[in-house]
Amino acid sequence: RRDVARRDVARRDVARRAGAMEIITDAREMRAWTRARRARGERVAFVPTMGALHEGHLALVDIARARCACDAVVLSVYVNETQFAPGEDFDAYPRVGDADERAARARGVDCVFAPKRMYANEGEGEGAAHETYVEVAELSKGLCAKTRPHFFKGVATIVTKLFNVVEPDAAVFGKKDYQQWRVIRRMARDLDFDIDVVGGEIVRESDGLAMSSRNLLLTTENRGKATVIYRSLSEAKATAERAPTTSDALVTRVSERIRDGGGEVDYVQAMEPESLTPYVGVLDSPCVIAVAAKFGSVRLLDNVEIMCGE
């Protein structure tokens, strides 16, 4: 096994010198890849994704190099089954394979980790099925968890597993999924991961719609309607920064605008940026307004940060 590992490291070093991007599917090989670089004094950054890469994902690769001062970037592609409940869009979630590899290579990703599976299955020579999960108790409450109570247990578990496999120095997550970003930061702190968890700003289409892999599932009509999310959030931000206003007034206005625009509101909430507790009263300190809304069967997320009082 040691000889095989040495040959794998030598092969990867040749590929690295040639400027080639590695594609790894095995957890042991992924660990060896990272450890070889860290042994040379390099820093490794990690961008976890579920694939169907768009500019929002690829911007996180740029952040990994610039803000995290890392020498190598690993990007994972894995559609995590444990964050989907029965009847959700696990089977429909976009999977584009070769297109993801081309996009990652063009952006200068050093390694794509694309495991076939991440959970032990009973009956496949692994004994009992996977039974260990990670939960972040308080930050996982409310917001997305109201309608998807299983979601953050699945997210925290898969990210923990990926952190243990990739062993990065830094990891970059998009802030479009604002609650998820906060949950992962808290998990990394509480479990003593020596990983800098960095948030990347939302990347938008030219009409303001937050980039998301699920945008591919929107009909042409609903794609046009969905732009009301960002318009309503932008109006709320401008209102709060122009004159004193309450969180309730902003939430009411954003909710009305989305419904009038053809969306089904899951939630609109004004909240404290770190604790995610509801923001109450006149805005005089930083606040986040987060939205989840459906257009047709497609659920979209977005948010704006309002820096009142700074």
Side-chain angles (χ1 to χ4, degrees):
R1 181 176 293 179
R2 289 179 180 175
D3 288 342
V4 171
R6 290 192 189 99
R7 286 197 298 271
D8 287 342
V9 170
R11 174 177 54 81
R12 290 192 296 271
D13 285 345
V14 170
R16 172 68 172 173
R17 287 194 295 271
M21 182 184 76
E22 291 251 26
I23 300 173
I24 296 175
T25 60
D26 179 75
R28 287 188 291 269
E29 188 176 349
M30 185 68 253
R31 285 194 190 94
W33 191 96
T34 301
R35 290 175 182 180
R37 273 144 189 79
R38 297 183 77 177
R40 297 201 296 261
E42 296 181 8
R43 280 174 53 83
V44 176
F46 179 41
V47 178
T49 83
M50 294 207 300
L53 301 180
H54 51 71
E55 183 59 28
H57 295 119
L58 300 174
L60 302 181
V61 174
D62 299 339
I63 291 170
R65 293 209 185 272
R67 282 174 52 190
C68 302
C70 287
D71 305 287
V73 177
V74 177
L75 181 144
S76 67
V77 175
Y78 184 74
V79 182
N80 175 40
E81 59 267 45
T82 64
Q83 67 194 64
F84 293 84
E88 292 188 339
D89 59 350
F90 175 74
D91 291 331
Y93 196 88
R95 294 163 171 84
V96 296
D98 292 345
D100 282 343
E101 293 177 12
R102 290 194 297 271
R105 182 176 286 107
R107 202 55 162 247
V109 169
D110 297 276
C111 175
V112 169
F113 179 48
K116 302 301 182 185
R117 60 189 178 91
M118 289 291 293
Y119 299 92
N121 290 324
E122 190 173 7
E124 296 189 11
E126 297 173 310
H130 181 95
E131 60 179 329
T132 304
Y133 293 89
V134 179
E135 293 191 73
V136 180
E138 291 302 316
L139 287 185
S140 294
K141 293 179 179 178
L143 299 171
C144 287
K146 288 181 179 178
T147 53
R148 306 186 73 196
H150 55 284
F151 177 71
F152 286 112
K153 181 171 76 171
V155 168
T157 300
I158 191 60
V159 173
T160 296
K161 290 170 72 66
L162 288 168
F163 280 179
N164 283 331
V165 170
V166 177
E167 298 183 342
D169 298 283
V172 188
F173 293 80
K175 290 166 71 174
K176 173 177 68 67
D177 303 312
Y178 195 88
Q179 185 180 17
Q180 174 179 279
W181 173 59
R182 288 297 185 186
V183 165
I184 297 306
R185 281 180 62 86
R186 184 66 53 84
M187 181 197 76
R189 185 202 71 177
D190 290 353
L191 297 184
D192 293 312
F193 281 109
D194 187 18
I195 299 171
D196 185 16
V197 179
V198 175
E201 300 304 322
I202 298 172
V203 179
R204 301 186 180 278
E205 305 284 359
S206 58
D207 56 9
L209 184 66
M211 289 190 175
S212 169
S213 299
R214 284 189 169 93
N215 291 351
L216 296 173
L217 304 176
L218 290 165
T219 65
T220 301
E221 180 182 4
N222 285 329
R223 170 64 181 77
K225 290 180 178 178
T227 59
V228 73
I229 299 176
Y230 183 58
R231 290 200 305 273
S232 65
L233 287 171
S234 296
E235 291 169 7
K237 179 178 173 70
T239 298
E241 293 176 346
R242 185 170 56 244
T245 188
T246 66
S247 58
D248 284 347
L250 295 177
V251 166
T252 298
R253 182 57 178 155
V254 171
S255 300
E256 289 174 348
R257 290 277 281 121
I258 292 173
R259 291 192 186 99
D260 291 346
E264 176 188 343
V265 173
D266 182 351
Y267 65 77
V268 176
Q269 182 163 315
M271 57 192 181
E272 302 283 348
E274 291 198 26
S275 68
L276 306 186
T277 55
Y279 197 110
V280 178
V282 175
L283 270 65
D284 57 6
S285 61
C287 170
V288 175
I289 301 180
V291 168
K294 281 187 174 182
F295 291 81
S297 63
V298 182
R299 184 174 181 272
L300 302 176
L301 302 180
D302 204 345
N303 65 79
V304 291
E305 296 175 287
I306 301 172
M307 298 300 157
C308 292
E310 286 201 338

